Amino acid sequence: MQTTGIHHVTAVAGDPEANLAFYTEVLGLRFVKRTVNFDDTTTYHLYYGDETGTPGTALTFFPFDGGRAGRPGRGQAVATAFAVPEGSLDYWADRLTDADATVEGRHTRFGADVLSFTDPDGQPLELVAADSPIDPWPGGPVPEEYGLRGFVGVTLHSGDPEATANVLGRLGFTRVGSTTEPDDGADRVRFTAEGDHATVVDVIHRGPPRGRPGVGTVHHVAFRVPDEDTQLAWRDERKDAGQFVTPQTDRQYFRSIYFRGPGGILFEIATDGPGFTIDEPAAELGSELKLPAWLEDERDQIEASLPSLAAETGPATTPATMDGGAGE
Ligand code: ZN
């Protein structure tokens, strides 16, 4: 039983408008879904990805305007890496600097060029010059030759790297090598899943203190499975391993189960389908607030409780729907 890599990464943001502007206007991702956190409907759940939010491309956020800043660290995924074409990192360093993003540095890791930076909330991100079968979103402001092409993977900070490696092994990841961090010499061990993109998980051993959840940190990492039956088999496997795992949950765009990995890292296993076009056409993704059927009765109340999020910043980046972005 194997996962085929990373399905999505979910993080905590501050101001939703600043979040939307950075991911669509600076990074050039597509705004693929505007919905709410189904477990807390006063908070948005914003999804950014490729044209249709293909598994392995979607970075998603729960924005809490004025929320408490977190601190990335032990017990968390601490960096999400996107693939960009070879030779594009000079463009990105300039683009990010012009956008007042914090560029942390550039280095070579496992033979690939890496640019490290943070989003407006201090969320650590990386661009890695790497091949990818994912097409960049052509409707954004970034020229296609530089566009983001889905995830390479994530870096985890673990207080118990052997236990983390064991779980990754059960998930179908294989250890492929190790290197040392340029700043402090810590070991970075690389694991990869069998798949064609978003297959990399790096594990770095970190001592205390633990990372602190909050704005600017990753909430969870979701791994891919093809369907619900595979997911349920996975749930049995985790239970047999003595792990607490949640019941299968309907997340509208996929089904999910969650469990805490060693050291407290929250993992999800998500199904590839049904995907983001289940409740709006591909051309209109992200243009209005979508709610699952079980929340539609509460729509007026939910809309009234949400902070403002300018409608035009979503579909306006999509030439084909320029006139159709009425918003909610
Ligand atoms: Zn998730």
Side-chain angles (χ1 to χ4, degrees):
M1 207 156 45
Q2 291 189 337
T3 58
T4 48
I6 294 162
H7 185 286
H8 65 270
V9 175
T10 296
V12 181
D15 174 16
E17 289 186 321
N19 178 260
L20 177 60
F22 184 77
Y23 285 92
T24 59
E25 293 167 20
V26 178
L27 292 190
L29 295 175
R30 187 175 193 194
F31 185 26
V32 290
K33 195 61 66 179
R34 175 194 305 241
T35 184
V36 295
N37 180 346
F38 299 165
D39 300 327
D40 167 14
T41 61
T42 64
T43 305
Y44 279 115
H45 194 177
L46 309 178
Y47 291 74
Y48 309 106
D50 72 348
E51 183 166 15
T52 57
T54 304
T57 72
L59 183 54
T60 94
F61 289 91
F62 300 134
F64 293 93
D65 199 6
R68 181 173 179 243
R71 181 187 62 230
R74 172 168 155 147
Q76 295 177 349
V78 295
T80 303
F82 289 92
V84 292
E86 293 279 352
S88 66
L89 291 187
D90 286 342
Y91 167 86
W92 278 107
D94 289 346
R95 183 175 180 85
L96 291 164
T97 302
D98 290 348
D100 290 329
T102 305
V103 175
E104 306 277 356
R106 234 167 120 165
H107 48 275
T108 304
R109 184 191 296 155
F110 292 107
D113 291 334
V114 180
L115 178 69
S116 301
F117 63 103
T118 58
D119 83 355
D121 295 311
Q123 178 83 231
L125 300 168
E126 294 171 339
L127 297 178
V128 179
D131 288 339
S132 169
I134 299 292
D135 290 327
W137 163 233
V142 176
E144 205 169 332
E145 67 205 280
Y146 304 123
L148 271 59
R149 294 158 188 259
F151 295 139
V152 172
V154 295
T155 298
L156 309 180
H157 278 186
S158 174
D160 188 348
E162 279 186 33
T164 301
N166 184 30
V167 170
L168 290 171
R170 286 173 174 273
L171 285 161
F173 284 80
T174 307
R175 182 186 159 127
V176 293
S178 70
T179 183
T180 49
E181 287 293 276
D183 50 348
D184 63 3
D187 278 336
R188 171 186 288 267
V189 182
R190 174 153 293 186
F191 299 83
T192 61
E194 290 199 22
D196 63 7
H197 68 286
T199 55
V200 172
V201 175
D202 284 352
V203 178
I204 299 176
H205 183 195
R206 289 287 182 215
R210 289 182 60 79
R212 186 176 65 215
V215 172
T217 64
V218 170
H219 187 268
H220 63 265
V221 176
F223 298 101
R224 298 174 65 175
V225 288
D227 53 44
E228 292 183 42
D229 286 345
T230 314
Q231 184 178 58
L232 287 172
W234 251 100
R235 185 163 186 274
D236 289 342
E237 192 276 346
R238 289 285 79 202
K239 280 167 70 183
D240 290 346
Q243 176 102 54
F244 174 79
V245 52
T246 66
Q248 197 175 53
T249 307
D250 183 355
R251 294 308 191 195
Q252 179 80 346
Y253 311 108
F254 41 85
R255 305 289 177 270
S256 299
I257 60 173
Y258 303 86
F259 63 95
R260 289 227 175 247
I265 303 169
L266 184 60
F267 291 135
E268 172 182 347
I269 292 176
T271 56
D272 277 355
F276 296 103
T277 54
I278 190 174
D279 60 0
E280 59 189 333
E284 291 167 24
L285 289 176
S287 61
E288 55 181 62
L289 182 72
K290 302 308 292 186
L291 296 173
W294 68 89
L295 290 175
E296 271 300 342
D297 286 351
E298 300 166 46
R299 175 176 280 273
D300 289 351
Q301 211 178 315
I302 288 170
E303 288 187 356
S305 71
L306 288 167
S308 72
L309 182 60
E312 63 271 20
T313 48
T317 57
T318 314
T321 57
M322 206 64 128
D323 302 326
E328 65 271 277

